[in-house]
Amino acid sequence: MGFKLVLLWTDVALWALFAALLVYVLRVRAQPTLRANWVKVLRDPAALSAGFVLMLFLLVTALDSVHFRRALPTSEGMPAGAQFYDTRTESVLDLVLARQVAMRETTYSRPLSYLGLNKESIEVDGALTRDFPRLQHGGAHLQQPEQEWAVDVTRRAFVGVAGAVVVTLLAALLMAAGLSRGHGGLGRAWRDLLADRTHYPLRALLLTIGVSALLCGPVIALMGHYHVFGTDRTGNDVLYQALKSVRTAFVIGAISTLATLPLALVLGILAGYFKGWVDEVIQYIYTTLSSVPNVLLIAACVLMVQVFLDKNPELFETGVERSDLKMFLLCVILGLTGWAGLCRLVRGETLKLRELDYVQAATAFGVSDARIMARHIVPNVMHLVLITVVLSFSELILYEAVLTYVGVGVDPSMNSFGGMINLARSEMSRDPVVWWSFAAAFGFMVTLVLAANLFADGVRDAFDPRARSLRPRVLSLLKKTKA
């Protein structure tokens, strides 16, 4: 069966971002100063561990960013050579999670359960009775679930834990093998790894790999036969929804952050370099923008986009393309309304750089303003841009959840953490309480945001010397106050 590749707006933006990251990595390898700063980031145990967790989320995002439509089988009466495709757009992640997609129930079910949540009229020995029905897929392999369920779940979870231990040991052996040449043999490298006597904090990375494997192993072992995080109101697997929401969070966080850069960087440098009326006009613009309530401004822009999409349905072949364009435009709106803070930082740094000797010397030698800004100002403000981009990533993930919760975020047909939390409002107030959708969205989102924040702290400490000196100063002040 063939397929048709579907290029969504956010797919193009994400893969362009991945390509830009690859180019940046090559640039870091070529420049000793940048390489030294990133070595400082990787030597921070928290930042290195958080980077590994972010890479796991990034892998899920990449798998969910290759979309296609399956070719429909040919039938009699079709024109010769004609090929029609399914209206449903899938991704590589959907292929990986095909079992979870097929395990759709009729309604709610608890995590790892083999029974539905609500009682129904079912036939038992020829008589109708009110009882909890068996799920069609969750635990369907059990012949006598009352006796077999606990043993089966324990056995499969133990297999997952065993697999996690094997993966962790293999990772440890690979690390020790890589260190053996510089540490005088495999045995010495193994001892240095466990004692944390390595150039990079590999022990912290190994612990992160172990914890991640112990969390993922049992889930992978159980997800083929049970709904590990239960199902929602329409019977969809909550684990599948949470994994699909990872891409939405990355799209909002990454593309929205990058959308702020052109305006913030250009206007901030122009305001700080030229000063005078240029500075006053730019300050007036971002001060006016900052005075407007951000949520109201974003809501107004999103509603206008929604009206345009509703009036032009013929522009899209599938509903996924329509939802994706709405999310892409939401990222653009977030970027165009959130550049004021970074613009202030860049302006202040440019005001300082403009008075330095090498900039004054370039001006005295008749170097053009555009060349001075490109060669001397932009490279020296990029550390602020990098720090702000990394810090804003986690903020925008939380912002998406808030916007979707109030109804002006991503399209309801698209999986997102905000959508899961929004749907959980009524579920948390019913009896019995359906808590697993909220818990899954909250757990995944907190893990992603916490990893992004820890990694951002490492980047800030490495690229901003003032941030590194602030922590011990604060600690010493606290000690003096207590004394």
Side-chain angles (χ1 to χ4, degrees):
M1 180 179 291
F3 63 90
K4 176 184 178 182
L5 189 64
V6 177
L7 285 178
L8 302 179
W9 286 85
T10 53
D11 289 342
V12 175
L14 281 175
W15 287 108
L17 175 61
F18 295 155
L21 287 177
L22 179 59
V23 172
Y24 181 73
V25 169
L26 297 177
R27 182 168 177 265
V28 168
R29 293 185 61 184
Q31 294 192 5
T33 305
L34 279 177
R35 187 168 63 248
N37 285 333
W38 279 106
V39 167
K40 294 175 185 177
V41 176
L42 297 179
R43 295 194 67 180
D44 184 349
L48 182 61
S49 301
F52 174 77
V53 176
L54 288 176
M55 290 301 296
L56 294 180
F57 282 106
L58 194 61
L59 176 61
V60 175
T61 302
L63 292 176
D64 203 19
S65 297
V66 179
H67 289 89
F68 60 90
R69 292 165 59 190
R70 296 178 186 268
L72 296 175
T74 58
S75 59
E76 296 182 1
M78 291 180 58
Q83 181 64 66
F84 297 97
Y85 297 90
D86 192 355
T87 57
R88 188 165 60 98
T89 303
E90 301 177 77
S91 68
V92 175
L93 184 64
D94 292 324
L95 296 180
V96 176
L97 301 176
R99 173 64 176 166
Q100 277 59 52
V101 177
M103 290 175 60
R104 182 173 180 177
E105 309 291 349
T106 57
T107 185
Y108 295 112
S109 66
R110 290 186 175 89
L112 297 175
S113 178
Y114 59 89
L115 296 175
L117 181 66
N118 302 314
K119 288 186 176 181
E120 298 179 4
S121 297
I122 57 177
E123 185 176 349
V124 180
D125 297 331
L128 287 178
T129 182
R130 294 282 296 177
D131 201 354
F132 297 103
R134 282 288 302 272
L135 297 178
Q136 297 179 8
H137 304 282
H141 62 288
L142 302 176
Q143 300 297 326
Q144 296 179 335
E146 293 82 1
Q147 291 79 29
E148 300 175 3
W149 175 80
V151 176
D152 185 67
V153 170
T154 304
R155 179 177 61 83
R156 294 182 184 279
F158 180 78
V159 170
V161 171
V165 173
V166 171
V167 169
T168 305
L169 290 177
L170 287 176
L173 289 174
L174 289 175
M175 289 181 185
L179 296 170
S180 60
R181 179 175 298 181
H183 288 252
L186 186 61
R188 180 65 180 275
W190 181 261
R191 290 192 296 270
D192 290 343
L193 175 63
L194 296 180
D196 200 21
R197 293 192 296 264
T198 55
H199 181 69
Y200 295 103
L202 297 180
R203 186 177 67 176
L205 177 60
L206 182 60
L207 289 174
T208 305
I209 293 174
V211 172
S212 301
L214 287 174
L215 291 175
C216 297
V219 172
I220 294 174
L222 290 165
M223 62 190 295
H225 298 82
Y226 297 95
H227 300 287
V228 180
F229 293 156
T231 58
D232 64 358
R233 180 171 53 189
T234 56
N236 293 306
D237 189 86
V238 173
L239 174 61
Y240 170 78
Q241 293 180 344
L243 290 174
K244 293 286 286 184
S245 299
V246 170
R247 179 183 180 274
T248 303
F250 252 98
V251 168
I252 296 292
I255 299 179
S256 300
T257 303
L258 294 179
T260 65
L261 296 185
L263 282 174
L265 190 61
V266 172
L267 294 182
I269 291 176
L270 291 177
Y273 185 82
F274 289 109
K275 299 191 287 188
W277 67 269
V278 176
D279 186 21
E280 292 179 1
V281 170
I282 293 174
Q283 284 191 74
Y284 179 80
I285 293 173
Y286 69 61
T287 302
T288 303
L289 181 63
S290 301
S291 65
V292 180
N294 213 19
V295 175
L296 295 180
L297 181 60
I298 294 171
C301 296
V302 170
L303 290 176
M304 287 190 291
V305 168
Q306 185 66 50
V307 170
F308 171 79
L309 296 178
D310 291 340
K311 289 185 175 180
N312 298 274
E314 70 281 356
L315 298 177
F316 315 100
E317 293 186 11
T318 62
V320 172
E321 296 179 20
R322 176 182 178 277
S323 302
D324 182 80
L325 179 59
K326 180 182 177 182
M327 183 168 65
F328 180 80
L329 293 176
L330 174 62
C331 295
V332 175
I333 292 169
L334 289 173
L336 294 179
T337 57
W339 56 270
L342 179 57
C343 185
R344 286 193 184 97
L345 292 175
V346 173
R347 171 186 172 273
E349 189 70 11
T350 304
L351 286 172
K352 182 184 71 174
L353 293 172
R354 190 183 187 281
E355 306 302 326
L356 296 182
D357 293 339
Y358 62 88
V359 176
Q360 295 295 326
T363 305
F365 279 106
V367 180
S368 65
D369 293 331
R371 189 174 180 83
I372 291 175
M373 287 186 285
R375 293 289 299 272
H376 299 298
I377 303 298
V378 173
N380 288 288
V381 300
M382 288 308 294
H383 70 284
L384 286 177
V385 174
L386 179 62
I387 293 169
T388 304
V389 165
V390 179
L391 289 173
S392 299
F393 177 80
S394 57
E395 295 176 1
L396 285 165
I397 293 175
L398 297 174
Y399 210 69
E400 179 275 326
V402 173
L403 291 174
T404 306
Y405 182 79
V406 299
V408 293
V410 300
D411 196 83
S413 63
M414 183 165 289
N415 292 294
S416 70
F417 295 130
M420 294 177 67
I421 295 173
N422 184 34
L423 293 176
R425 284 189 297 179
S426 59
E427 296 174 346
M428 295 292 287
S429 60
R430 73 188 303 276
D431 187 26
V433 175
V434 179
W435 51 267
W436 42 89
S437 293
F438 176 81
F442 181 80
F444 273 81
M445 187 168 61
V446 167
T447 303
L448 177 56
V449 172
L450 179 60
N453 284 337
L454 291 176
F455 188 76
D457 287 342
V459 172
R460 181 181 57 191
D461 292 346
F463 283 83
D464 188 1
R466 290 170 296 182
R468 293 199 301 269
S469 62
L470 180 61
R471 288 184 179 180
R473 190 179 305 167
V474 172
L475 293 176
S476 61
L477 289 174
L478 290 176
K479 291 180 180 178
K480 291 179 180 180
T481 304
K482 293 180 180 179

